[in-house]
Amino acid sequence: MKLIISPYVGVGPLRFGMTRAEVRLSLSSTPREVQKSMTSPLKTDSFRDWNLHVSYRDDYICNAVELWRGANPVLHGCELMATRYTALLDEFRKLDTNLEIAVGTFISRQFGISVHSPDPAGTPESVLAFERGYYDG
């Protein structure tokens, strides 16, 4: 199933700013709650049947959706998980002059996403869509 990314709005049926209850209702699924890091104050919802995680900010308000292999995130008609990482990186370099690049990862604040691939010659391992201010600390 294609999950359309609307920059700074949401992914598929999910919208940034939804409550945890609204997220769960919109996906008609019961997630597994996971602690992604020891420093994270809130648990993340893992929806295995959707191949995604939903992260929350204060009071369990949705602020990011991470999709991994098996999901089909689409941005402006491009199926991100089906496109080689290097091809995505080349395209986003043209579209976003402020693209942030690290080894195997890039962040586009213009489009509100980050893409990660441990193998730059392969397809992405994950795509993160986020709300405005997500990386501002």
Side-chain angles (χ1 to χ4, degrees):
M1 169 192 305
K2 291 182 181 179
L3 294 170
I4 306 299
I5 297 174
S6 300
Y8 294 113
V9 175
V11 177
L14 302 175
R15 297 292 171 258
F16 303 125
M18 282 180 150
T19 65
R20 181 179 236 182
E22 291 170 328
V23 165
R24 291 175 174 186
L25 185 63
S26 72
L27 295 179
S28 300
S29 182
T30 302
R32 188 172 59 109
E33 296 179 15
V34 296
Q35 191 77 34
K36 287 201 68 161
S37 75
M38 296 303 290
T39 59
S40 177
L42 301 175
K43 290 190 176 177
T44 296
D45 281 344
S46 176
F47 293 91
R48 288 185 182 182
D49 47 340
W50 286 83
N51 297 308
L52 62 81
H53 286 161
V54 177
S55 298
Y56 301 95
R57 57 178 155 82
D58 300 336
D59 297 326
Y60 283 98
I61 301 299
C62 174
N63 69 346
V65 177
E66 180 182 15
L67 304 108
W68 61 84
R69 290 185 179 136
N72 188 13
V74 178
L75 179 67
H76 299 298
C78 178
E79 295 185 13
L80 300 173
M81 295 296 226
T83 307
R84 286 183 332 122
Y85 176 82
T86 52
L88 289 173
L89 181 58
D90 289 345
E91 190 61 29
F92 274 88
R93 279 185 170 137
K94 296 174 197 170
L95 298 171
D96 185 349
T97 58
N98 295 312
L99 196 66
E100 298 171 37
I101 303 168
V103 175
T105 301
F106 68 80
I107 300 169
S108 172
R109 291 178 192 252
Q110 179 174 331
F111 293 100
I113 68 165
S114 68
V115 177
H116 173 72
S117 179
D119 175 12
T123 56
E125 179 177 87
S126 66
V127 173
L128 179 75
F130 50 86
E131 71 177 1
R132 286 195 193 280
Y134 181 81
Y135 280 110
D136 293 346

